[in-house]
Amino acid sequence: METLAMHISNGIIDGPVAALFAALALAALTGCVLRGRRDLDDRLAPMAGLVAAFIFAVQMLNFPIFTAGVSGHLLGGALAAMLVGPWVGALCVAVVLVVQALIFGDGGVAMLGLNITNMALLGTAAAYLLIALLLRVLPRTPAGLAVTAFVSALVSVVVASQGFILEYWLGGTTDLGGNLAGLAGTMAGVHLLIGIGEGLITATTVVTVAKVRPDLVYALRGLRSTSAPAVPVAGGVR
């Protein structure tokens, strides 16, 4: 508990709870595979590979949170949701987490279901719900897209951190002496700062892609504004 790491290590949560969330994660990912097949086309399939590779590479770069004495890195749920959609996006993040756990030991293998639930499922779902809401009220300009990406990324990181609090309440192996609320507040505060960094990375990446190839941004294709016609992010005639 000293590092407040998002990647849960072996022994932090007891076996039965870890097994329960492993089954939950497996069922959810199966649903993502079945639903994601409908979205896959000539653009989305290679884009999914690029998104997974990008998230994996950027997660290797940690940025320090000086006020908390820890460091953070991109989770990628909001980025994946905006570029390839929630179903394929959750799969992209899950693949990254599996590789990290098996090859780099980043998060316990026995805790993989918990980590996938928090970062791939909760984080991506929370991000996409916000994306769907914000893109219906904000203009589809670079500024509107940047705000959507930033806010959804920030909130998704905090939501993912609170998933850990629920799991620890159900099966934490260390007695916190009734201070679970304090831990929740600390986790939320630290990951709010991490979320700012994630939001900046996500907004910059999504806007850059949208300016060059707006047709590759799933959120712009899959969601339609209810208030006004979509405004092209990239100017000119293609």
Side-chain angles (χ1 to χ4, degrees), residues 113-212:
L114 298 164
N115 288 322
I116 288 176
T117 298
N118 295 339
M119 290 181 274
L121 300 176
L122 286 179
T124 304
Y128 194 73
L129 288 174
L130 269 174
I131 291 166
L133 173 64
L134 292 174
L135 284 183
R136 282 172 168 78
V137 297
L138 294 175
R140 300 195 178 195
T141 60
L145 197 61
V147 170
T148 299
F150 180 86
V151 173
S152 62
L154 188 153
V155 172
S156 72
V157 172
V158 177
V159 169
S161 74
Q162 296 309 296
F164 168 74
I165 299 300
L166 171 63
E167 293 156 1
Y168 200 85
W169 176 68
L170 291 173
T173 56
T174 302
D175 184 10
L176 297 180
N179 196 31
L180 192 65
L183 176 63
T186 301
M187 288 286 285
V190 169
H191 287 86
L192 180 65
L193 297 176
I194 294 174
I196 293 174
E198 170 128 1
L200 293 173
I201 294 172
T202 302
T204 301
T205 304
V206 171
V207 170
T208 300
V209 173
K211 285 183 176 180
V212 178

Side-chain angles (χ1 to χ4, degrees), residues 1-5 63-72 183 185-195:
M1 307 304 294
E2 295 176 356
T3 60
L4 297 174
F63 47 88
I65 308 298
F66 296 107
T67 59
V70 298
S71 63
L183 176 63
T186 301
M187 288 286 285
V190 169
H191 287 86
L192 180 65
L193 297 176
I194 294 174

